[in-house]
Amino acid sequence: VKFRVSKNWTKEHGYKPNQISLLKYNGYWIQLPTKFVGNDSRYYYFESNVSSFSVFAIAVTRWDNFPLNVTDE
């Protein structure tokens, strides 16, 4: 899955690209490995591999030890 996040939004909220993750819902939220792949004047671009269809969310992960599973198994 490829997605983008507005640079203006991240700047307004004080977030950095390394805090952006793709989450998958499978009865609970799973944080998927998310790769920052580039940017242009308006957006940051990301990629994440998914193994199945689901409900997804783009999220800011800014807390250590946040209770998310980190595998899609």
Side-chain angles (χ1 to χ4, degrees):
V1 170
K2 296 180 182 183
F3 64 95
R4 66 184 185 186
V5 176
S6 166
K7 283 184 169 183
N8 286 339
W9 185 86
T10 55
K11 184 177 179 181
E12 286 173 13
H13 293 88
Y15 301 134
K16 297 181 180 176
N18 66 347
Q19 295 175 292
I20 305 295
S21 293
L22 186 67
L23 306 182
K24 174 185 174 181
Y25 191 75
N26 189 19
Y28 48 87
W29 288 106
I30 300 166
Q31 183 177 359
L32 300 175
T34 304
K35 181 180 177 183
F36 172 72
V37 295
N39 65 86
D40 60 25
S41 62
R42 296 179 62 196
Y43 296 101
Y44 294 116
Y45 294 91
F46 301 88
E47 291 181 354
S48 186
N49 291 327
V50 298
S51 61
S52 61
F53 292 107
S54 185
V55 174
F56 296 96
I58 299 168
V60 174
T61 52
R62 60 183 180 160
W63 301 284
D64 290 334
N65 301 317
F66 190 73
L68 294 172
N69 289 329
V70 293
T71 64
D72 186 19
E73 299 178 0

